[in-house]
Amino acid sequence: MYTITIYNEARQPMHINQLLQHANSDLPLLQANFGLERESLRINKTNHCLAQTPHPTALGSRQFHPYIQTDYSESQMELITPVAQSSKEVLRFLGAITDVAERSIDQNQYLWPLSMPPQITEDEIEIAQLEDNFEFSYRQYLAKKYGKILQSISGIHYNMELGADLMNELFELSGYQSFIDFKNDLYLKVAQNFLNYRWFLTYLYGASPIAEKGFLNEELSQAVRSIRNSHLGYVNTDDVKVPFDSLENYVTSIERHVETGALSAEKEFYSAVRLRGSKHNRDYLTKGITYLEFRCFDLNPFNNRGITQETIDSVHLFILAMLWLDTPKKLNQALDKAQELNEKIALSHPLTKLPKEAPVALILEAMEALIKHFKLPSYYDDLLTAIKKQVENPKLTLSGRLFEHIKHASLEHFGQQKGQDYHNYAWQDYYALKGYENMELSTQMLLFDAIQKGVHFEILDENDQFLKLWHNDHIEYVKNGNMTSKDNYVIPLAMANKVVTKKILRENGYPVPAGAEFDNKDEALRYYSQIKNKPIVIKPKTTNFGLGISIFETAASHNDYEKALDIAFIEDSSVLVEEFIAGTEYRFFILDGKCEAVLLRVAANVVGDGYSTVRQLAAQKNKDPLRGRDHRSPLEIINLGDIEMLMLQQEGYTPDDILPKDRKVNLRGNSNVSTGGDSIDVTETMDPSYKKLAADMATAMGAWACGVDLIIPDTHLKASKEKPNCTCIELNFNPSMYMHTYCYQGPGQVITGKILAKLFPEVPIHLTSSNHH
Amino acid sequence: MYTITIYNEARQPMHINQLLQHANSDLPLLQANFGLERESLRINKTNHCLAQTPHPTALGSRQFHPYIQTDYSESQMELITPVAQSSKEVLRFLGAITDVAERSIDQNQYLWPLSMPPQITEDEIEIAQLEDNFEFSYRQYLAKKYGKILQSISGIHYNMELGADLMNELFELSGYQSFIDFKNDLYLKVAQNFLNYRWFLTYLYGASPIAEKGFLNEELSQAVRSIRNSHLGYVNTDDVKVPFDSLENYVTSIERHVETGALSAEKEFYSAVRLRGSKHNRDYLTKGITYLEFRCFDLNPFNNRGITQETIDSVHLFILAMLWLDTPKKLNQALDKAQELNEKIALSHPLTKLPKEAPVALILEAMEALIKHFKLPSYYDDLLTAIKKQVENPKLTLSGRLFEHIKHASLEHFGQQKGQDYHNYAWQDYYALKGYENMELSTQMLLFDAIQKGVHFEILDENDQFLKLWHNDHIEYVKNGNMTSKDNYVIPLAMANKVVTKKILRENGYPVPAGAEFDNKDEALRYYSQIKNKPIVIKPKTTNFGLGISIFETAASHNDYEKALDIAFIEDSSVLVEEFIAGTEYRFFILDGKCEAVLLRVAANVVGDGYSTVRQLAAQKNKDPLRGRDHRSPLEIINLGDIEMLMLQQEGYTPDDILPKDRKVNLRGNSNVSTGGDSIDVTETMDPSYKKLAADMATAMGAWACGVDLIIPDTHLKASKEKPNCTCIELNFNPSMYMHTYCYQGPGQVITGKILAKLFPEVPIHLTSSNHH
């Protein structure tokens, strides 16, 4: 222990104390990494008792799942965020994981929003059936020691690491020689003060005011702030006392408790704050503490994620205040006193004020000083003002607000209501991933799948839909949900070029429209002789938005042909003249040589009911939750704009005319989903011969993920390479995926989940359609 | 032979005769596929004798080479175009193949431009040392039978197939039941008339007026039109007579000659026209003739490719006239007479007119009728006018023009001159591929390599630099010369995103500039504290043209920082603030995990000589054949525009000032080659540790072909992952290749050849730098 002694001598607590006070105002004070863990019980909707079903199979394997685990019991889920570089990001993570969890459990279940469980018996609680023998035995041991019911209390653990730049600047300021010593002293000081002032968080965020019948051996005489944060909560036995006065003492003490058997393992030490970063505490002495885990947060039942942005940021400020405030002189005594104060406040009535002896002013002043010294944004002023109001008025604290919902000494009804509301909320806009709605739908769906199956994710560029996914050492990058390592670079580039695509397909013997490309009008005019008796399409080579396209369903006159060429040459210097193929266009989604979905797209339309006007019918159709705006929903709102009005007029109607029953009126000439069209999943009814032909085309092209657009005149005929009975008019290298999953009609097909499964064949991915419907 | 008899009965020659006359004017008459084969002798520059070196190793393997083969002797090259869909395309192919051949042979050799060889002896001629035993023995047999010297005569074979649409329309018009019968009758008719009128081509294009001493047993008394097209040329022995009156007779007759041994194989039948498309003639009866091979063309020594565009198109019109003209009634007699006429014309003096008995008016009328009936472009009128002038004035025919160059009964001097001129021409702009100068340089280089090594190519889209390359069944698509199947799709997309690239490199432990991305100015301003003492670069995230970039080589004031942010946010909604790295920027070209080239780019500059003005120095520098405009040359012309003038002014000079000796003046602040900068190949001098680090970065990124831009403060230090001593500022997913090969200074590195070798590891590709320098 020689080294340690040296460290102890070299320590200069003076430099940690008052460190922030000596820092410049432009210190990146708010820089920090965050992580949240939230426990929650699965509850059965019908009887509101603990769900008796196993952990959902949709969630893949618990052996490695980084985001959704089982805590103590089979029905207690643990939602774990990745490390986030901002407080906003960490809550977004938790929101998304909550969203996935709610949509992965049985539709007949929901997550319990309160820290205290509903009324339960020991028998209902099944210890989590983990495959890991150690983890299972550990839970059996805990059951014996603390009782299964006590273990059902849920909460949130709040992990925080100060940012690298912040730490570096503070280190420089501190005059320390060793960065590890510096980190250890700094984090230890925060931990000490946290324990000294944690009662304030119990006051503000305590939210376990009562226990349902049978939970406590002795019932409480009144509602309190936080059973969970009192001695009645899930705490260590009295013989486990761990000093925080020095790192060496902390480490040695826990080790001794494990040696004596008071603790079965180091991780059984349940303090309101724990030092984190290494598996074994002793490693902190040489490697340094990486971050702190704050474990005292009850679930906030007023929020679906169990915690609010304001709480996360207020606690962040509070933790920084712990660094600002001096450490008490006689630490061990002070912490004992603080523990008593916390117990008192935890077991006080929710509507009582803080006791006189609680030095709240000190904390508030420290927070205020931080805001001033570092010129923090006004948002932090607002947070502090809200905290002060809660100090003045206990009704505004979490337990104070919760008190109103206690009926007959029970919160069960409130918990049932909120739990079901949050479950329903998760199923609103079920095609999206909460918090990521600004990303493309297909990417949201793939992120959902990754979280659900436990594939690690990082958003490398949000605007660019660029993801990093990984499992163990296996990394995959994905853009737009379908651009992956599985496709080789040059093939999508070929598909982006209509002429090249056609040449390759034709050379491979697949049906494409006859035609030619022209760089000048004279040559194109000379070509007239070859098309003069045929239906043709004239289009610019590279425009994709339908601009400059002319279609002659019967033969074109020379004059019209010339006009059409002029129009096309305005859009591009290269113009294609192609055979026009009559028939219906279908989109085949091909993945890895197999057709996974077939879609028919139909122009925006309304169908009469005999008493509603066109306007009313459109409004009715727009109520579909799948319809939204700007590609953020699977279907688009039908607009009654100029183009639609013209179409209506041509069909002899005004928007205020009542349509006869079953009369269908098209509001658009084009069938794009993006202009209000309908998507019809015909995967199951399309003749397999077409699916095979489309898949073979993609394979011939060398494409892994690809949309094949076939024009089929008669789907009753069978397709074959020799007699295609269809024509391929385009291959799409960035095919939309969501439109196959969330359809106006038809069952819809899972696509992104299959992409994920193929990217990570080593991850057990049970594909279900449940999450997407 | 029962089937055949039926065919014969069903034949309706009436319908082939006068078929064109009955066709509509908008028939796609000119639609056709073309192929050219050109033979040429390799000649030694020093003694102008037959080259005694083997077929160049740079040309890969003769066992499969589709474009450059050896004909009869080791020094007789055969240049073979792919099938072209237009007459322009076929000549472009031949031009490119000629270009490659000239640049692949020894610098001390050139290709003989005349059909008749220079003065040679049997001993000089080595039979082509082909690995194929049959081909070698066949050549030995021919040597014995015809003599090696006769075999040295070279010519062009002109292959033509009528277009598919044209054939279909004619077939429909013909009333034939069987398309194969129709095709056979049609091509046979063309072949018959071709033999009947070929004397006209001998008149126009005959270009073998004399033989050098020792070639003929009996010397000619005067110059003639075409020794090669007379009985003195390389023709079958007299016993080989093959009738063209019916396909059956043609096939049976050749078979009989093979049986009797008059011919060693069917391919030994050397007619002015041959039926083509099947290996065995008999197959034509069931599968049909695919195309015709016209073999009577002497090399045109006035053109580097041995044939002109006008000749190809005039012959095309002539061939169509063969279809227009009635077939002679008594065919066999007519052909015998035509043969005599051809012999007479071939052996006439070049300046004599056509003999009276030659029915030239018939042919001219037919050609004229075609132009009129099908309203052909005026270009064909011009061709016909030129032909008529040649009929009037023999001086204008090829042999007429060549006659002037005969000195002392020899054309050797003329041949030497022209041959060397054409060789020099091939080495002009040696970085480009003749005929493909509108494509990107790197693609031209890759095409050059493909032709040289015998990898099949097809340009799928010329403007898009999209190539199909293949060898046997193995197909590779390539865009921009470096976008291939070897890279996976998502990695270049990642490299296109600066933020994603930096994240991936950093996560893999490679040095990238510290920095952050901001979507709004407020956040970016808040970041100031973290960079206020550091040199920084502020740049828009996606702009690549240097717009909106500010560099602070020392710390920026808050005010300047804010201004720079404003400037950057004008260009993009995302702005990067990055550490500025001082040092020199080098481009490392990485291919398949290995650094193949390192380039230093230097700003446009001139260096004084003590007597030239800046303007003169720039003009001098611009004379470098590597300098051109618009990226069509490896280096750009130095412009003395506004920016350069300003730079000059700042350095205290005007363009008309004389620069002191060795005084270097930069004319640009940026080092881009595209603005006149110099490229310096430092591959060999760069410390290998940097090459390894750059290659490792590309590998970590997952990139196959990639440009790595490193800033290196001191190249004397070594680089390692732990101590990089450099920073990566960008990865380039579409790195320029030509700039590493053709440099202002330094040896230059082969890149495209290595790409081709890696794409086709099964093709023996001997990389030499000769073709690129």
Side-chain angles (χ1 to χ4, degrees), chain B residues 450-491:
Chain B
I451 294 174
Q452 190 180 47
K453 304 309 179 193
V455 172
H456 289 268
F457 77 98
E458 181 188 345
I459 297 173
L460 293 179
D461 192 321
E462 193 152 340
N463 298 324
D464 207 21
Q465 320 297 326
F466 219 111
L467 307 182
K468 175 181 172 179
L469 301 175
W470 72 99
H471 179 74
N472 296 330
D473 290 342
H474 174 189
I475 298 172
E476 294 283 348
Y477 300 101
V478 181
K479 183 173 148 64
N480 291 9
N482 58 28
M483 299 169 172
T484 70
S485 68
K486 297 289 179 181
D487 260 306
N488 89 47
Y489 187 22
V490 77
I491 296 307

Side-chain angles (χ1 to χ4, degrees), chain A residues 11 26 50 116 118 121 235 269-270 279 282 345 365 374 383 392 411 415 431 448 472 568 580 596 607 661 705 709:
Chain A
R11 251 186 226 159
D26 54 16
L50 226 51
M116 297 302 287
T121 61
V235 291
F269 174 53
Y270 304 135
K279 246 190 165 170
R282 183 152 298 279
I345 290 169
E365 277 161 23
F374 295 102
L383 289 180
E392 288 309 308
L411 267 169
Y431 44 80
F448 183 102
N472 297 329
F580 170 75
E596 296 290 356
V607 179
K661 190 156 168 50
D709 290 338

Side-chain angles (χ1 to χ4, degrees), chain B residues 384-397:
Chain B
L384 188 56
T385 305
I387 290 170
K388 285 179 179 166
K389 279 188 187 154
Q390 292 170 66
V391 170
E392 289 308 309
N393 183 359
K395 273 191 183 173
L396 300 175
T397 64

Side-chain angles (χ1 to χ4, degrees), chain A residues 24 26-28 30-31 165 169 374-377 458-461 463-464 466 468 475-479 482-497 499-500 503-504 507-508 517 519 526-530 532 534 541 573-574 700-701 733-734, chain B residues 24 26-28 30-31 165 169 374-377 458-461 463-464 466 468 475-479 482-497 499-500 503-504 507-508 517 519 526-530 532 534 541 573-574 700-701 733-734:
Chain A
N24 276 337
D26 54 16
L27 187 79
L30 297 172
Q31 199 191 42
D165 295 323
E169 291 202 33
F374 295 102
K375 297 178 187 143
L376 299 188
E458 179 188 346
I459 297 173
L460 293 181
D461 192 322
N463 298 324
D464 206 21
F466 219 111
K468 173 183 172 179
I475 299 172
E476 293 282 349
Y477 301 101
V478 181
K479 183 172 149 64
N482 58 28
M483 298 169 173
T484 71
S485 68
K486 297 289 180 181
D487 260 306
N488 88 48
Y489 187 23
V490 75
I491 297 307
L493 296 175
M495 290 197 274
N497 183 315
V499 170
V500 170
K503 279 188 186 171
I504 295 176
E507 285 177 6
N508 279 283
E517 179 187 355
D519 290 334
R526 181 160 286 279
Y527 188 65
Y528 180 69
S529 69
Q530 272 158 274
K532 68 174 193 293
K534 298 171 186 162
K541 183 176 169 193
S573 62
S574 284
M701 191 72 193
F733 66 97
N734 182 18
Chain B
N24 276 336
D26 54 18
L27 186 80
L30 297 172
Q31 200 190 42
D165 295 322
E169 289 200 36
F374 295 103
K375 299 177 185 141
L376 299 188
E458 181 188 345
I459 297 173
L460 293 179
D461 192 321
N463 298 324
D464 207 21
F466 219 111
K468 175 181 172 179
I475 298 172
E476 294 283 348
Y477 300 101
V478 181
K479 183 173 148 64
N482 58 28
M483 299 169 172
T484 70
S485 68
K486 297 289 179 181
D487 260 306
N488 89 47
Y489 187 22
V490 77
I491 296 307
L493 297 175
M495 290 198 274
N497 183 316
V499 170
V500 170
K503 279 188 187 172
I504 294 176
E507 286 177 7
N508 279 283
E517 179 187 357
D519 289 334
R526 182 160 285 280
Y527 187 66
Y528 180 69
S529 68
Q530 271 156 274
K532 66 174 192 292
K534 297 172 187 163
K541 183 175 168 193
S573 62
S574 284
M701 190 74 192
F733 66 96
N734 182 17

Side-chain angles (χ1 to χ4, degrees), chain A residues 166-223:
Chain A
L166 173 58
M167 284 298 271
N168 285 332
E169 291 202 33
L170 288 175
F171 173 54
E172 217 166 287
L173 197 62
S174 74
Y176 268 64
Q177 297 292 312
S178 149
F179 186 62
I180 287 171
D181 288 349
F182 166 74
K183 276 211 302 189
N184 283 345
D185 284 0
L186 186 140
Y187 278 125
L188 192 65
K189 175 191 161 78
V190 172
Q192 291 164 348
N193 268 346
F194 189 88
L195 289 175
N196 198 32
Y197 297 108
R198 65 171 286 217
W199 50 263
F200 189 40
L201 301 181
T202 304
Y203 173 79
L204 292 171
Y205 307 119
S208 46
I210 58 163
E212 300 301 326
K213 247 183 213 147
F215 184 91
L216 297 175
N217 295 333
E218 221 172 300
E219 281 190 31
L220 291 169
S221 58
Q222 57 162 14

Side-chain angles (χ1 to χ4, degrees), chain A residues 293-545:
Chain A
E293 180 190 8
F294 306 103
R295 303 161 49 85
C296 55
F297 300 94
D298 291 349
L299 293 182
N300 175 350
F302 298 103
N303 190 289
N304 70 314
R305 293 156 299 191
I307 192 166
T308 66
Q309 191 66 57
E310 290 71 23
T311 301
I312 295 174
D313 292 323
S314 300
V315 170
H316 183 197
L317 192 61
F318 174 87
I319 293 167
L320 292 170
M322 297 303 102
L323 187 56
W324 178 272
L325 283 166
D326 285 348
T327 322
K329 295 261 158 64
K330 294 179 176 174
L331 185 77
N332 291 341
Q333 279 166 273
L335 294 194
D336 283 346
K337 245 178 100 182
Q339 166 76 8
E340 276 168 42
L341 183 56
N342 183 64
E343 178 76 9
K344 181 173 176 183
I345 290 169
L347 293 180
S348 301
H349 189 275
L351 300 185
T352 55
K353 282 195 151 197
L354 280 167
K356 289 259 155 58
E357 67 268 31
V360 66
L362 213 68
I363 305 172
L364 296 176
E365 277 161 23
M367 290 167 92
E368 193 146 16
L370 281 173
I371 294 172
K372 243 183 165 168
H373 187 100
F374 295 102
K375 297 178 187 143
L376 299 188
S378 61
Y379 169 67
Y380 289 88
D381 284 317
D382 299 344
L383 289 180
L384 188 56
T385 306
I387 290 170
K388 285 179 180 166
K389 279 188 187 153
Q390 291 170 67
V391 170
E392 288 309 308
N393 184 358
K395 272 192 184 173
L396 300 175
T397 64
L398 266 193
S399 61
R401 290 164 65 196
L402 206 46
F403 181 69
E404 290 182 32
H405 298 281
I406 300 172
K407 306 275 179 239
H408 310 297
S410 170
L411 267 169
E412 281 204 331
H413 184 70
F414 174 75
Q416 290 163 11
Q417 208 57 52
K418 282 291 178 189
Q420 288 178 103
D421 285 354
Y422 298 149
H423 187 72
N424 293 340
Y425 171 73
W427 280 94
Q428 259 180 37
D429 298 342
Y430 53 87
Y431 44 80
L433 179 64
K434 302 273 182 303
Y436 296 85
E437 293 90 346
N438 64 324
M439 297 188 80
E440 287 180 4
L441 266 187
S442 298
T443 295
Q444 291 181 51
M445 288 163 65
L446 186 66
L447 276 178
F448 183 102
D449 296 330
I451 295 174
Q452 190 180 47
K453 303 309 179 193
V455 172
H456 289 268
F457 76 98
E458 179 188 346
I459 297 173
L460 293 181
D461 192 322
E462 193 151 343
N463 298 324
D464 206 21
Q465 321 296 326
F466 219 111
L467 307 182
K468 173 183 172 179
L469 302 175
W470 71 98
H471 178 73
N472 297 329
D473 290 340
H474 174 188
I475 299 172
E476 293 282 349
Y477 301 101
V478 181
K479 183 172 149 64
N480 291 8
N482 58 28
M483 298 169 173
T484 71
S485 68
K486 297 289 180 181
D487 260 306
N488 88 48
Y489 187 23
V490 75
I491 297 307
L493 296 175
M495 290 197 274
N497 183 315
K498 289 175 193 169
V499 170
V500 170
T501 303
K502 269 178 60 176
K503 279 188 186 171
I504 295 176
L505 284 178
R506 183 180 290 126
E507 285 177 6
N508 279 283
Y510 291 100
V512 290
E517 179 187 355
F518 300 100
D519 290 334
N520 67 72
K521 196 179 145 189
D522 278 356
E523 265 183 58
L525 280 175
R526 181 160 286 279
Y527 188 65
Y528 180 69
S529 69
Q530 272 158 274
I531 52 87
K532 68 174 193 293
N533 298 316
K534 298 171 186 162
I536 53 167
V537 187
I538 294 160
K539 55 185 174 188
K541 183 176 169 193
T542 46
T543 319
N544 255 320
F545 302 99

